[in-house]
Every structure is written in structure tokens, then in C-alpha cells.
Amino acid sequence: MEIRQIQYFLMLCNELHFTEAADKLGISQPTLSQQIRVIENELGTPLFDRIGKKTVLTEAGRLFRQYALQMVQQLENAKAAVTELTNQNVGLFRVAVLPSDLDYRLTPLLIDFHRDFPKTKVQVIPSMNIEELVLDNEVDLGVGLAIQPDSRLERIHFYTETYCLFVNERHDLAEKELVHPEDLPKLPIVMYPQGFYGRDLIDSWCAQHQVSIQPILETGSATSLFQFVKENIGVTIQPSQLITHFESLGIRAIPIMDSPSRQLEMYYRTDKYLNVAVRTFMERLRDYFVK
């Protein structure tokens, strides 16, 4: 069995349509059908059921797909290892991060990383579906909220982050040392829309404390939220570490009693080869957040 045939098989798994899979592979439909039959003959069992125009994986096909994905991944790992050895970290590093506040804070880290690995192209992909991107091998590393254990993923906790109330220095609350959950519903709050991790976390925390917030403005941009605070239009609830980026705007962070918090993790596929550039980025990310 050739790796080319395995790649044909995986494309057909994705498309479940012989003509469409063949078009994407750049081969004819009869050629694809013939190559799939070669694999099925070698394995001694059908991998697809062909019911009229519909193509579905058999139980054997689903099982073989798991191993086929591993074989292709191991080949990519081997290529990456050899490339790293011979080309001095020339390559592509893809990292998925939470949109808004987290991707915003990575900028200084990425600048330093580029200086040390100028030949490594970096793609930062803001996403709400980080775990899916990692599992589908569309990114090398995910950086986001803690996820449920998964045998396919290696998970590394690197920071526990609390939240504060951010107010303009001229706001009536600016001199307070602490705010209570019951204070929040009375405030003109600006926040992310529902569906953003940061907003959903705050809504869940509010429900636990039997309070509710009704934002007067919603935007998916951390920079915009802090501009609203700067203009004293409203206040916002954000990760406390963000004060280091926005204090110069005349903004103050006030601790919240029994503060919301979140666990941040890095995760990658257990069968994924991590080159020196990726491992270095992970080490620096951990140091960057705990300094």
C-alpha cells in the first residue's frame, strides 16, 4: 500500500463523493475508484458502501481511517524533523488563540519570537474552535481555556487568571479597593457579545452569584471596549493582567470579590512533532504570563 493511496482514501473520507474527491486530488474519478479498490482488495474488506449516488464509510473504513490519519501524521512529523535539521527552522508555525484579549496580548511575545526565528513563518489564528483546529491538524498549537481531557491531546496548564472591573480614573468607583457582585447590575457595562468565551464566563459567574448584567454596548474587540472605558462611556470586566496594556489610558482595575477566573492551557496533538521553534514559543508563552 502506498502513501499516495492512503491520501486518496482520506480525501474520499472527507468528501464522501468520488467525483468531488477526484477533482480535489486532480485525478479522474475512475482512477480514484481503481485505487480505492486496490486498498480494499489488500485489506480484504470494503471500506465504503456505495448506495446509489451516496457513499458512506463502513465500520472497517472508519477503523482504517483512524490508522491512516496516524500514518500521514507520522510522515509529516518525519518531514518536519528533517526540514528542521537541514534548513535551520525554516518552516510554518500555526497557533490558534482566543480572539480579542488573548491574541492582543501575544503581540510583544511574537515580536521577540520573530527576532530569534526570522525564518519561521508564524500564523496566529483567532478562533472560538481551537480544540477542533488542533485535532484536525489545521494548527500546530492551541492556546485557550482549559478543555476536557482527551487522549489525542497533550495539555499544558500555564496560567490561572482572575478578572477585575476596569473603570475610567474619573469614575465614581475609581478610588474603591473592592467591588462586590451585587454592585455590577447597577453599572453601565460594555462587554463582548454572548458567545465569546470572556462574556460567557462572566455570565456564568453572575448566575452563580445571583446577579445579572445588561451591557449598554457590545463589541468583539478588546481595544474598542477599553476605548469606551477611556471615554468614560462605561466599565468592563476583563482579565486583570490587561491593566499593564491600558493603564496609560487613565484606566484603573478594581478587584472583584470572589473574582471570576479562568484556566489557560496550551494543547497539541499527542502524535504531533514539535520543532525547536514551537517548543521555544511554548516556553516563552509560559514565562510571559507568569512574570
Side-chain angles (χ1 to χ4, degrees):
M1 193 178 304
E2 300 176 4
I3 190 67
R4 170 178 53 87
Q5 294 169 325
I6 294 173
Q7 291 168 335
Y8 289 176
F9 164 77
L10 289 173
M11 179 62 75
L12 184 55
C13 288
N14 291 338
E15 300 300 323
L16 291 177
H17 191 285
F18 276 83
T19 301
E20 292 178 6
D23 286 343
K24 289 196 173 183
L25 289 166
I27 61 177
S28 67
Q29 186 270 326
T31 297
L32 176 60
S33 297
Q34 188 268 337
Q35 292 299 317
I36 296 301
R37 281 195 296 271
V38 168
I39 300 175
E40 291 176 327
N41 290 338
E42 183 171 341
L43 294 174
T45 186
L47 300 177
F48 297 93
D49 279 330
R50 303 160 180 83
I51 307 171
K53 294 184 178 180
K54 188 175 181 180
T55 302
V56 296
L57 278 165
T58 64
E59 185 175 355
R62 289 191 295 271
L63 178 62
F64 184 66
R65 181 177 182 271
Q66 297 177 23
Y67 287 96
L69 287 169
Q70 293 177 26
M71 285 185 274
V72 171
Q73 182 61 60
Q74 290 302 318
L75 177 61
E76 291 302 315
N77 289 347
K79 290 179 180 178
V82 172
T83 298
E84 179 180 52
L85 178 65
T86 58
N87 293 331
Q88 300 180 338
N89 293 313
V90 173
L92 173 64
F93 168 40
R94 306 159 301 169
V95 55
V97 301
L98 288 176
S100 298
D101 71 282
L102 195 51
D103 65 335
Y104 176 85
R105 282 186 284 170
L106 290 184
T107 302
L109 176 64
L110 291 167
I111 292 171
D112 289 339
F113 180 81
H114 174 71
R115 290 189 180 121
D116 292 334
F117 294 89
K119 296 181 180 180
T120 299
K121 179 180 177 180
V122 180
Q123 290 182 348
V124 180
I125 304 170
S127 175
M128 307 291 286
N129 302 305
I130 300 174
E131 185 176 356
E132 181 180 331
L133 291 177
V134 175
L135 286 171
D136 289 345
N137 205 32
E138 294 184 26
V139 296
D140 306 296
L141 180 70
V143 180
L145 298 185
I147 59 175
Q148 293 298 316
D150 188 318
S151 61
R152 298 169 294 176
L153 295 174
E154 186 73 30
R155 301 162 53 229
I156 302 172
H157 173 269
F158 68 92
Y159 196 64
T160 299
E161 188 163 53
T162 58
Y163 279 66
C164 284
L165 180 72
F166 288 81
V167 304
N168 185 283
E169 61 185 7
R170 302 188 306 277
H171 194 276
D172 293 342
L173 295 177
E175 300 305 318
K176 286 185 70 72
E177 298 299 323
L178 186 71
V179 293
H180 296 78
E182 56 267 26
D183 297 328
L184 301 179
K186 311 167 191 174
L187 300 174
I189 292 180
V190 294
M191 282 294 293
Y192 300 125
Q194 290 181 336
F196 277 64
Y197 283 128
R199 173 64 182 279
D200 292 347
L201 182 149
I202 297 303
D203 284 348
S204 176
W205 177 85
C206 285
Q208 293 172 14
H209 289 78
Q210 298 182 327
V211 298
S212 176
I213 61 171
Q214 300 297 328
I216 61 170
L217 279 170
E218 296 179 342
T219 175
S221 164
T223 302
S224 295
L225 291 174
F226 279 93
Q227 286 294 326
F228 294 141
V229 177
K230 176 191 174 186
E231 298 300 326
N232 211 13
I233 292 173
V235 302
T236 191
I237 305 169
Q238 298 294 333
S240 54
Q241 199 182 49
L242 278 177
I243 191 59
T244 59
H245 298 274
F246 295 103
E247 195 169 20
S248 63
L249 299 181
I251 292 172
R252 181 160 184 263
I254 307 173
I256 302 172
M257 177 175 282
D258 191 23
S259 166
S261 65
R262 65 181 184 181
Q263 307 294 320
L264 297 179
E265 290 184 344
M266 297 177 273
Y267 32 94
Y268 57 90
R269 288 176 59 117
T270 54
D271 60 358
K272 183 76 174 176
Y273 173 79
L274 300 182
N275 61 29
V276 171
V278 178
R279 295 197 301 271
T280 300
F281 180 87
M282 293 170 63
E283 292 171 4
R284 292 185 181 183
L285 178 64
R286 182 164 41 208
D287 293 343
Y288 178 73
F289 271 82
V290 300
K291 67 182 179 181

